[in-house]
Amino acid sequence: GSAMTSWVQSNDGPHFVYADASGNLRQFWYTISSGAWATQSVMDVPGAVAAGAGSALTSWVQSNDGPHFVYADTNEHVQQFWYTTATGQWANQDLTAVSLMQP
């Protein structure tokens, strides 16, 4: 019952992101340079919030950054995860909280 999203990165192979049974986002991708599949949790960052049951999941890749994922958490807040190429790290943001703080 997991949501899943995918894309093909220009310097690599296909990438898939899904929510596991605990709501943690996991990435599964094919690395062309090694000719092997790899997997990792993208939620190993401070403040990471699990996806809610049945949450939709969407993604895109920005030209000046890495992949971005958006989903709803268990509190129905919209969360965004993205890979920052400048730092080589994953980051996250509660978009619902940010938008509620706007004047």
Side-chain angles (χ1 to χ4, degrees):
S2 171
M4 182 178 287
T5 188
S6 64
W7 73 95
V8 176
Q9 206 158 313
S10 61
N11 62 344
D12 228 347
H15 289 245
F16 306 95
V17 171
Y18 64 94
D20 67 16
S22 299
N24 296 313
L25 299 186
R26 298 202 50 86
Q27 178 179 207
F28 185 63
W29 75 100
Y30 185 77
T31 305
I32 292 174
S33 61
S34 69
W37 288 93
T39 186
Q40 75 176 143
S41 171
V42 301
M43 299 184 81
D44 294 334
V45 297
V49 180
S55 172
L57 180 62
T58 190
S59 65
W60 71 93
V61 178
Q62 285 185 210
S63 60
N64 62 342
D65 231 347
H68 291 243
F69 315 110
V70 176
Y71 65 94
D73 69 18
T74 56
N75 293 320
E76 297 183 10
H77 281 217
V78 176
Q79 298 287 333
Q80 175 183 212
F81 267 83
W82 71 95
Y83 185 78
T84 305
T85 55
T87 63
Q89 298 179 341
W90 290 96
N92 64 301
Q93 183 178 39
D94 182 334
L95 296 178
T96 301
V98 170
S99 67
L100 292 176
M101 290 192 285
Q102 300 298 320

